[in-house]
Amino acid sequence: MTSLNPKHFLLSLPKWILICVLIGILSGSASAFFLVSLEWVTQFRIQHNWIIWLLPFGGFLVGLSYYYWGESVAKGNNLLLEEYENPKKVIPFKMAPLVLLGTLLTHLFGGSAGREGTAVQMGGAIADQFTKFFKLDNSERKILIILGISAGFASVFGTPLAGAIFALEVLYFSKINFKSILLSFLVAYAAYFTVEFWEIKHTHYNIPVVPELSLNNIIFTLIVGILSGFAALLFSRSTHFWSSLFSKKIKYPPLRPVIGGVVLAIAIAGFGFTKFSGLGVPVIMDSFSNPNQWYDFLLKILFTGFTLGAGFKGGEVTPLFFVGATLGSALSTVIPMPIALLAGIGFVAVFSGATHTPIACTIMGMELFGIAPGIFIAIACTIAYFSSGSVGIYKSQIVKGAKYKLYQRLNSNF
């Protein structure tokens, strides 16, 4: 963490407060528009399931738009992480409309994807434009990128504390400026309240029963944490595998989501796997009260990895919620703990393992489910973090610290 000059910080504070408010309003409004649009295309697809057969066409539109106009922003979230670590040039604003359009097309036609990547990329692209307006240097640009990530995450999920911490934690080993901490929270709440102003409703989950913190329940939680880490590892490796395979086998980028769309359309519409298309929020909500099949989380990993690997757009986090919630729900048939608690633990623990952000995920769990299950969530998120391997969903993320040393030692022994 870099040092802070108190006098300079106080003198620049009014400017940064203004920047945070502007980024919060703009990113929050962008997320609000995105959430409304996403709900519309999702409902349209549900009411007109035949449109899934047009996935190859939707894939062609996504692939073509990025091939001709979006090559410089095709890396998505990884571009934000790379620009933070090694600032070179301002992120083009076109990242925002391109990822918005690409994600809506992906969900309209039934691809399996999330939404956080879209909001974070829109937030990052919007925030980085202030580099020009305020003539900021590279060190200040780093703060803007943190603000964009924080605003995007907080606004799309309605979790301002988790959003602020996620932006800091995902970049922690890239040296965080102390000033960024205060500003990350400020922009997260500005974005969150902007979405509230637009009267956008977020999904609510409930864990009605939380058992006592007994030795048996701690052991069961450790088991769920380990399995969640393995699921996160499988999710990350699956996404990277399909992306690498499509890149190697199909040299013309716009053709990748076309071919991927054909396979997905046959699998989803032809074989009745529609529950794995889109975000899968109804399945997530149902998992808190009804046990899922043991293979549901595996199929979501397969469909999401294939969708994103083929070149469709969207985030990974909501599919990670799906994977974790259905895994925890399925485990309720063999682990004697409340099903809603197991689903909630898995919900955030798989996310923790895939993004290397156990603190943000613990906070998010308490924001979504309340304080009562907090200790179980914290244990599972920490264990999932350590058991999920050294490579997460973001290839450009720098992973060091205790986890890095652990896997370095394991690799040297094997």
Side-chain angles (χ1 to χ4, degrees):
M1 189 172 296
T2 57
S3 60
L4 174 69
N5 183 319
K7 183 178 179 181
H8 181 266
F9 175 69
L10 290 174
L11 290 174
S12 64
L13 190 57
K15 176 185 73 174
W16 282 104
I17 291 175
L18 174 61
I19 291 174
C20 285
V21 171
L22 291 174
I23 292 174
I25 292 173
L26 293 174
S27 296
S29 297
S31 289
F33 176 78
F34 170 54
L35 290 171
V36 170
S37 303
L38 184 58
E39 177 64 19
W40 187 88
V41 299
T42 298
Q43 291 304 318
F44 185 89
R45 186 191 70 244
I46 291 173
Q47 295 166 17
H48 306 85
N49 262 339
W50 56 266
I51 201 171
I52 295 175
W53 289 108
L54 297 180
L55 248 175
F57 172 70
F60 184 64
L61 293 178
V62 174
L64 213 60
S65 64
Y66 271 83
Y67 183 68
Y68 284 106
W69 300 294
E71 185 178 0
S72 62
V73 296
K75 290 182 179 180
N77 287 348
N78 284 304
L79 178 61
L80 299 180
L81 301 182
E82 290 174 9
E83 281 296 323
Y84 183 89
E85 176 63 20
N86 185 24
K88 292 181 179 178
K89 58 181 180 179
V90 174
I91 295 168
F93 178 74
K94 63 183 176 181
M95 171 185 269
L98 278 171
V99 73
L100 173 64
L101 176 63
T103 303
L104 292 177
L105 287 172
T106 297
H107 283 277
L108 174 64
F109 295 106
S112 176
R115 55 192 171 184
E116 115 292 336
T118 306
V120 166
Q121 288 174 52
M122 289 194 300
I126 290 170
D128 210 13
Q129 305 313 305
F130 287 92
T131 300
K132 305 170 185 175
F133 294 122
F134 288 91
K135 296 180 172 57
L136 304 179
D137 58 28
N138 281 340
S139 64
E140 293 173 313
R141 264 199 73 209
K142 289 188 172 189
I143 299 175
L144 286 181
I145 291 174
I146 287 178
L147 298 184
I149 294 173
S150 175
F153 193 100
S155 59
V156 81
F157 290 124
T159 53
L161 284 175
I165 296 172
F166 176 81
L168 298 167
E169 194 174 13
V170 78
L171 293 165
Y172 180 76
F173 292 108
S174 295
K175 295 183 180 179
I176 299 294
N177 187 311
F178 187 82
K179 180 164 56 176
S180 304
I181 299 175
L182 173 63
L183 299 178
S184 183
F185 282 93
L186 179 58
V187 77
Y189 274 96
Y192 168 75
F193 284 119
T194 297
V195 173
E196 291 286 297
F197 172 80
W198 291 116
E199 299 184 352
I200 305 300
K201 302 300 180 184
H202 296 283
T203 307
H204 293 283
Y205 305 92
N206 183 37
I207 299 179
V209 179
V210 179
E212 64 179 10
L213 191 65
S214 65
L215 178 59
N216 284 342
N217 286 335
I218 291 175
I219 293 173
F220 291 139
T221 304
L222 291 173
I223 293 171
V224 176
I226 293 171
L227 294 176
S228 295
F230 290 163
L233 172 63
L234 186 59
F235 186 99
S236 299
R237 295 295 171 88
S238 172
T239 303
H240 299 326
F241 168 78
W242 289 114
S243 179
S244 177
L245 184 66
F246 273 98
S247 298
K248 289 179 180 177
K249 299 297 182 182
I250 305 172
K251 298 303 180 183
Y252 184 56
L255 197 58
R256 295 168 193 163
V258 174
I259 294 175
V262 171
V263 176
L264 285 168
I266 293 172
I268 294 173
F271 290 89
F273 288 117
T274 52
K275 67 186 285 186
F276 301 103
S277 62
L279 294 172
V281 171
V283 178
I284 296 174
M285 296 187 70
D286 184 65
S287 69
F288 279 74
S289 54
N290 298 302
N292 284 89
Q293 297 296 329
W294 66 268
Y295 51 79
D296 281 351
F297 81 98
L298 291 172
L299 288 175
K300 187 62 173 179
I301 289 174
L302 175 63
F303 278 108
T304 304
F306 192 88
T307 297
L308 298 177
F312 287 93
K313 296 301 172 181
E316 298 94 345
V317 172
T318 305
L320 286 169
F321 293 161
F322 185 115
V323 170
T326 53
L327 171 61
S329 178
L331 289 173
S332 69
T333 60
V334 293
I335 292 180
M337 293 178 73
I339 183 173
L341 177 61
L342 289 171
I345 289 173
F347 184 107
V348 286
V350 174
F351 177 30
S352 169
T355 58
H356 310 303
T357 56
I359 300 173
C361 292
T362 299
I363 298 299
M364 184 178 205
M366 289 189 281
E367 281 190 286
L368 291 174
F369 311 128
I371 300 295
I375 187 64
F376 295 105
I377 290 169
I379 292 170
C381 285
T382 302
I383 297 301
Y385 165 70
F386 280 106
S387 61
S388 61
S390 57
V391 179
I393 55 175
Y394 308 131
K395 281 186 173 182
S396 298
Q397 184 182 13
I398 295 176
V399 182
K400 293 183 181 178
K403 180 172 184 174
Y404 174 78
K405 294 176 182 177
L406 170 65
Y407 283 96
Q408 283 287 95
R409 185 171 298 177
L410 289 175
N411 289 335
S412 64
N413 289 336
F414 292 98

